[in-house]
Amino acid sequence: MEFSEVIERRRSVRKYADLSVEDAKLEYVLEAARTAPSAENHQLATFVVVRDPETRAIIGRPGSTQDGKWINRWLARAPVIIVACGDRSKTAPHHGVDFWQIDTAIATEHLVLAAVDVGLGTCWVGAFDEPLVRTTLAIPQQVGILALLTMGYPAEHMGVTERLTRTVVRADTRKTMSELARWETWQRHDHA
Ligand SMILES: Cc1cc2nc3c(=O)[nH]c(=O)nc-3n(C[C@H](O)[C@H](O)[C@H](O)COP(=O)(O)O)c2cc1C
């Protein structure tokens, strides 16, 4: 697939076809994550791939945001849940930015884009039960859990996030280019 098509096609998928994901495709997306850049090449990210239905049923239990509204009831039905982890013992925050989180986020997004390339859908999930995931998968304390990533073949209707349905915000609403990019200084919104 052309890179521009991968970018264009990527959407968060929350409803999956009843198909398992082939090992070769999992290896392909993980390889994309393995080649991601990382601070000082420390490569702090590690991914736990969970396919076992019983384990998915446990770690896919609804999480919630601080206001308790975002509960991700669809989560356990994804054929694969990938737990994006990073070794937080090996970095110190630089000006308030934690590099284990950046490394892990970049590697995860590599994985997301590679998934599109082979016809798979994913969804980042930030609202999950962290202690439950940690205990169930025996993840050591020095390892941070950044997010869960669901993966599978998209169902015809890809699903919407529960919070977005309630507040009627369209998931494809995007900033305009002039909101996104500033030129030379913060104040300048165009480059003409
Ligand atoms: C860090 C992060 C956490 C997210 N957490 C959730 C989540 O808990 N539940 C969910 O349904 N979507 C979650 N999303 C997906 C976003 O809702 C989605 O990316 C956004 O609405 C834009 O839609 P799109 O990905 O289809 O373009 C998360 C995305 C990111 C990057």
Side-chain angles (χ1 to χ4, degrees):
M1 202 184 280
E2 287 285 326
F3 181 69
S4 55
E5 197 183 342
V6 170
I7 296 290
E8 168 72 19
R9 279 198 183 199
R10 188 217 57 81
R11 288 286 177 279
S12 292
V13 174
R14 301 178 181 87
K15 207 161 178 219
Y16 296 94
D18 194 13
L19 294 168
S20 51
V21 177
E22 302 86 333
D23 284 354
K25 291 199 175 181
L26 281 171
E27 282 158 23
Y28 177 77
V29 299
L30 288 164
E31 178 61 22
R34 203 173 68 84
T35 58
S38 66
E40 295 179 357
N41 199 24
H42 280 316
Q43 305 176 55
L44 300 174
T46 302
F47 295 93
V48 184
V49 181
V50 181
R51 292 184 288 185
D52 176 63
E54 283 173 23
T55 313
R56 281 190 282 117
I58 297 169
I59 68 170
R61 277 185 203 144
S64 62
T65 53
Q66 280 175 343
D67 59 12
K69 281 189 182 153
W70 198 345
I71 53 175
N72 292 328
R73 277 169 298 197
W74 53 273
L75 189 53
R77 289 194 293 275
V80 181
I81 300 177
I82 297 179
V83 183
C85 304
D87 188 341
R88 52 187 174 198
S89 70
K90 296 216 176 84
T91 55
H94 293 245
H95 46 81
V97 175
D98 258 320
F99 282 174
W100 77 266
Q101 296 175 339
I102 299 185
D103 282 9
T104 307
I106 295 172
T108 306
E109 191 60 15
H110 269 218
L111 210 152
V112 164
L113 296 176
V116 177
D117 190 32
V118 291
L120 294 166
T122 60
C123 186
W124 279 81
V125 172
F128 59 93
D129 187 335
E130 200 264 3
L132 179 72
V133 173
R134 182 177 295 284
T135 311
T136 309
L137 306 181
I139 296 172
Q141 279 306 324
Q142 82 273 13
V143 173
I145 307 175
L146 186 78
L148 309 188
L149 190 75
T150 56
M151 182 175 287
Y153 287 95
E156 213 164 300
H157 171 62
M158 300 197 302
V160 287
T161 175
E162 290 159 57
R163 189 159 81 163
L164 291 176
T165 49
R166 271 202 291 275
T167 54
V168 202
V169 176
R170 281 163 43 116
D172 60 356
T173 302
R174 289 288 187 249
K175 282 181 167 179
T176 63
M177 187 55 81
S178 72
E179 286 167 330
L180 177 79
R182 311 291 166 96
W183 299 84
E184 317 303 344
T185 68
W186 181 263
Q187 282 71 26
R188 201 167 141 196
H189 291 259
D190 64 72
H191 60 103

